[in-house]
């Protein structure tokens, strides 16, 4: 993170403060003269990499509260620009903040329009910032930067008039529920009394009628007035600031306020500049007065910072991934080394076992080939159980078929394969007969045998069925009879047929 600086500007001088971890240190003071501006430009050239905020404590401020229609988006931005141009013609140092919406009627939005009405006082300093091309994040006022003070001191409830003493005068800021509604700076030369405690009490009494006229406070309720006072002057201020029916004074220890804000060391004088610098750095207001042209270098810094942050995140992610990959690679190498070691031990154990075996009459390679061939022959062996089960299941649907003979054998099914073994199939030769009544019904007998062969082929996967001998001779010269026959010898004969059921065995 770059080092942050606060440029505290009042009517007489510009003070450059450094800020880091709650510690405010003064770097230099520059008078509001040409020599002071030149010295300020030289100061910026040695600290161009810092991030700057400007805090103005000027009497030339304006605050206007107004109810406006509630709109969003681009319409709201256009409305705010138009209102700022109407109220503060001739200055670009303006801003607007929302004070909330009304609870009745159209629920309009109450806006507080703020401006620094003498931009010429800031122009020499802004020109030096532009020439040095340093990052100016915003221009703020002491009044707007005072809200964190009330929040830290836990006095943000209700209406509060906060009085703070600076080198240029007495700052009087009116807050309602912790939100700024009005502020003014009374310069030291315009105070009604040279006695500072008495002057503070008098300024509060002079401001009260104005707040009544603006209906910011009610007549029947006293106004709480909080005064920031160093511990050494508590007695003086307590004698001058006496409460009455209209004003209820409360003295606040400025050292306690500095402690609540995390400022160290606490201010050692009567003035509250460092207190407001700390409040600004701890919680910068969202609203600020600098136009876009004055914040160009800050936008460039933001873009550069975003790119650096994105690059850092990407680099961190790459480093994490590289570390993870390196750990994975290391683990894989360790596993590979363990596996290689196990493989070497297993190979040594195998060689040791082989060395202790008795000598064999034939080489191991020959035994291995013989063993593999025996396994192949064992896989190619078969029993007739499968074919017989398929035959029995089908014959249950053909009770008219009578078995005469079953022959089982293993036969060759083709040419030898590359390994020298020919394909083998299991064969079952079925010889059967039909009842004598089918002797006179040749067509019916043939259809029955064909149906039996078809069902056998469907009984199990891989079965092949072939009718090797039909029940009747089907030579072309003979007549196929389908009805009754007069020939007695043909009528008394029983048709006989044969089937060959085969199934290939695994190679």
């Amino acid at each position: 993170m770059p080092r942050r600086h606060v440029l505290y500007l009042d009517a007489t001088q510009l003070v450059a403060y450094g800020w880091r971890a709650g510690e405010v240190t003064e770097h230099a003071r520059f008078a509001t003269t040409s020599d002071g501006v030149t010295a300020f430009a030289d100061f910026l050239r040695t600290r161009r990499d810092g991030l700057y905020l400007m805090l103005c404590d000027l009497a030339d401020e304006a605050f206007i509260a107004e109810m406006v229609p509630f709109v969003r988006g681009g319409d709201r931005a256009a409305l705010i620009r138009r209102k700022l141009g109407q109220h503060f013609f001739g200055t670009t140092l303006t801003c607007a903040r929302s004070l909330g919406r009304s609870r009745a009627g159209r629920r309009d939005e109450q806006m507080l329009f703020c401006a620094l009405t003498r931009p010429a006082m800031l122009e020499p300093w802004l020109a030096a910032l532009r020439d040095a091309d340093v990052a100016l994040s915003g221009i703020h006022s002491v009044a707007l930067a005072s809200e964190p003070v009330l929040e830290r001191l836990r006095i943000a409830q209700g209406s509060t008039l906060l009085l703070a003493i600076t080198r240029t005068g007495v700052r009087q800021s009116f807050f309602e529920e912790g939100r700024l509604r009005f502020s003014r700076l009374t310069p030291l030369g315009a105070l009604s009394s040279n006695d500072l405690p008495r002057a503070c009490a008098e300024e509060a009494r002079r401001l009260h009628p104005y707040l009544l006229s603006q209906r910011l406070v009610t007549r029947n309720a006293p106004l709480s007035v909080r005064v920031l006072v160093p511990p050494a002057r508590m007695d003086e201020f307590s004698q001058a600031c006496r409460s009455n029916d209209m004003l209820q004074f409360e003295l606040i220890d400025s050292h306690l306020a500095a402690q609540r804000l995390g400022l160290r060391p606490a201010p050692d004088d009567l003035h509250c500049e460092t207190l407001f610098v700390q409040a600004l750095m701890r919680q910068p207001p969202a609203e600020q007065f600098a136009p876009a042209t004055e914040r160009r270098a800050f936008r460039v810094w933001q873009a550069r910072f975003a790119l650096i942050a994105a690059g850092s995140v990407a680099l961190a992610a790459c480093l994490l991934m590289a570390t993870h990959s390196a750990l994975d690679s290391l683990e894989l190498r360790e596993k590979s080394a363990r596996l290689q070691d196990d493989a070497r031990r297993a190979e040594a154990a195998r060689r040791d076992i082989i060395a202790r075996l008795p000598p064999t009459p034939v080489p191991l390679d020959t035994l291995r080939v013989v063993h593999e061939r025996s396994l192949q022959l064992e896989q190619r062996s078969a029993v007739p159980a499968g074919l017989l089960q398929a035959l029995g299941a089908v014959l249950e649907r053909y009770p008219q078929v009578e078995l005469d003979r079953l022959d089982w054998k293993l036969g060759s099914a083709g040419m030898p394969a590359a390994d020298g073994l020919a394909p083998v199939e299991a064969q079952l030769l079925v010889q059967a007969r039909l009842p004598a009544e089918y002797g006179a019904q040749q067509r019916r007998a043939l259809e029955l045998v064909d149906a039996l062969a078809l069902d056998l082929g469907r009984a199990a996967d891989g079965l092949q069925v072939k009718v090797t001998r039909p029940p009747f001779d089907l030579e072309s010269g003979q007549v196929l009879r389908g009805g009754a026959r007069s020939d007695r010898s043909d009528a008394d004969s029983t048709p006989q047929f044969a089937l060959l059921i085969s199934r290939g065995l695994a190679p």
Side-chain angles (χ1 to χ4, degrees):
M1 290 294 292
R3 188 172 183 85
R4 293 191 283 178
H5 305 275
V6 178
L7 306 175
Y8 190 95
L9 176 65
D10 57 32
T12 60
Q13 61 183 350
L14 182 143
V15 185
Y17 291 99
W19 187 91
R20 176 170 291 180
E23 183 176 356
V24 177
T25 56
E26 180 180 327
H27 290 324
R29 292 175 178 264
F30 309 97
T32 55
T33 61
S34 59
D35 293 338
V37 174
T38 302
F40 177 63
D42 296 337
F43 170 82
L44 291 177
R45 278 193 290 270
T46 61
R47 294 174 172 83
R48 295 183 59 184
D49 57 343
L51 185 63
Y52 289 82
L53 294 90
M54 182 173 285
L55 182 60
C56 299
D57 187 20
L58 303 172
D60 302 295
E61 294 178 285
F63 300 89
I64 299 176
E66 183 179 353
M67 299 293 292
V68 298
F70 178 73
V71 291
R72 294 188 176 94
D75 294 337
R76 188 174 188 273
L79 175 64
I80 291 175
R81 285 196 301 269
R82 185 170 64 253
K83 288 293 183 180
L84 290 173
Q86 292 173 355
H87 292 308
F88 310 115
F89 180 76
T91 179
T92 58
L93 305 177
T94 59
C95 68
R97 70 187 317 180
S98 175
L99 298 178
R101 296 182 61 183
S102 174
R103 297 184 179 181
R106 298 184 308 176
R107 299 196 64 192
D108 291 340
E109 185 177 16
Q110 187 172 19
M111 301 290 298
L112 180 65
F113 300 101
C114 315
L116 301 176
T117 56
R118 288 185 61 187
M121 294 189 64
L122 283 76
E123 180 55 32
W125 312 104
L126 296 178
L129 290 168
R130 287 194 298 269
D131 293 340
D133 198 24
V134 297
L136 176 66
S137 64
I139 300 175
H140 304 273
S141 69
V142 169
L144 293 174
S146 302
E147 291 184 356
V149 178
L150 273 70
E151 181 181 348
R152 290 287 177 172
L153 294 176
R154 300 174 184 175
I155 56 175
Q157 292 78 17
S159 300
T160 299
L161 179 62
L162 180 67
L163 271 63
I165 302 170
T166 63
R167 287 184 174 86
T168 56
V170 178
R171 167 68 62 177
Q172 307 134 58
S173 302
F174 176 74
F175 299 88
E176 185 174 2
E177 300 300 333
R179 303 285 288 175
L180 178 70
R181 299 297 300 274
F182 174 78
S183 182
R184 74 172 184 177
L185 173 67
T186 304
L188 292 176
L191 292 177
S192 57
S193 174
N194 292 329
D195 184 6
L196 194 56
R198 192 177 303 278
C200 289
E202 185 61 29
E203 288 302 314
R205 296 187 184 97
R206 291 175 58 186
L207 185 59
H208 186 254
Y210 174 78
L211 298 177
L212 287 173
S213 65
Q214 296 296 316
R215 298 182 180 179
L216 296 176
V217 296
T218 58
R219 296 183 181 276
N220 56 358
L223 174 62
S224 297
V225 182
R226 271 82 180 217
V227 187
L228 290 171
V229 183
R233 304 195 62 177
M234 279 289 184
D235 294 339
E236 301 177 41
F237 277 86
S238 61
Q239 293 178 5
C241 301
R242 296 183 180 276
S243 301
N244 53 34
D245 295 338
M246 297 183 299
L247 301 176
Q248 295 290 328
F249 284 93
E250 179 184 351
L251 303 182
I252 299 177
D253 189 343
S254 60
H255 289 188
L256 175 62
Q259 182 180 358
R260 293 281 180 86
L261 285 169
L263 176 64
R264 56 182 188 271
D268 56 356
D269 55 8
L270 181 64
H271 306 132
C272 300
E273 286 89 347
T274 55
L275 196 67
F276 293 128
V277 170
Q278 175 71 5
L280 175 66
M281 296 308 299
R282 285 189 63 90
Q283 190 175 340
E287 301 82 8
Q288 57 86 35
F289 296 98
T293 55
E294 303 295 343
R295 305 180 73 203
R296 182 192 62 82
F298 174 66
R299 295 302 185 193
V300 173
W301 175 85
Q302 282 185 318
R304 183 169 60 250
F305 179 79
L307 290 175
I308 293 174
S312 300
V313 172
L315 177 61
C318 293
L319 290 176
L320 288 175
M321 293 179 63
T323 303
H324 186 269
S325 299
L327 293 175
D328 288 346
S329 299
L330 180 60
E331 183 179 359
L332 290 175
R333 283 197 296 269
E334 292 177 353
K335 289 183 178 179
S336 177
R338 288 196 299 268
L339 291 175
Q340 291 177 359
D341 188 55
D342 293 342
R344 284 193 294 269
R345 286 198 298 269
E347 179 64 21
R350 186 185 71 84
R351 288 197 299 267
D352 184 64
I353 292 173
I354 293 175
R356 293 198 301 267
L357 291 176
T360 57
V362 294
L364 290 177
D365 294 337
T366 304
L367 290 177
R368 186 180 298 110
V369 172
V370 172
H371 178 67
E372 291 177 355
R373 184 60 59 88
S374 65
L375 291 178
Q376 293 177 357
L377 293 176
E378 183 178 355
Q379 292 175 357
R380 297 160 67 92
S381 62
V383 294
L387 298 182
L388 293 176
Q389 290 176 358
L391 178 61
V394 174
L395 288 180
E396 288 183 354
R397 300 194 298 271
Y398 295 87
Q400 61 272 46
V401 176
E402 297 181 7
L403 293 178
D404 289 340
R405 181 184 177 90
L406 295 176
D407 291 325
W408 161 260
K409 68 177 180 178
L410 295 177
S412 176
M415 297 297 294
D419 57 357
L421 296 176
V424 177
E425 63 179 9
Q427 298 177 353
L428 180 65
L429 182 60
V430 180
Q431 297 182 11
R433 67 178 61 219
L434 296 175
E437 59 188 44
Y438 282 88
Q441 301 178 4
Q442 297 178 359
R443 188 182 299 276
R444 184 182 174 190
L446 291 174
E447 291 176 353
L448 178 62
V449 172
D450 291 340
L452 176 60
L454 183 62
D455 288 348
L456 283 173
R458 296 174 179 175
D461 294 336
L463 287 183
Q464 296 181 359
V465 182
K466 180 181 179 182
V467 180
T468 59
R469 190 183 71 181
F472 296 99
D473 189 7
L474 297 180
E475 295 180 358
S476 60
Q478 294 186 359
V479 178
L480 184 63
R481 298 180 177 86
R485 297 177 57 186
S486 58
D487 190 349
R488 182 67 181 175
S489 61
D490 291 342
D492 291 340
S493 64
T494 58
Q496 296 180 357
F497 63 93
L499 299 175
L500 179 60
I501 304 174
S502 60
R503 171 185 286 171
L505 300 181

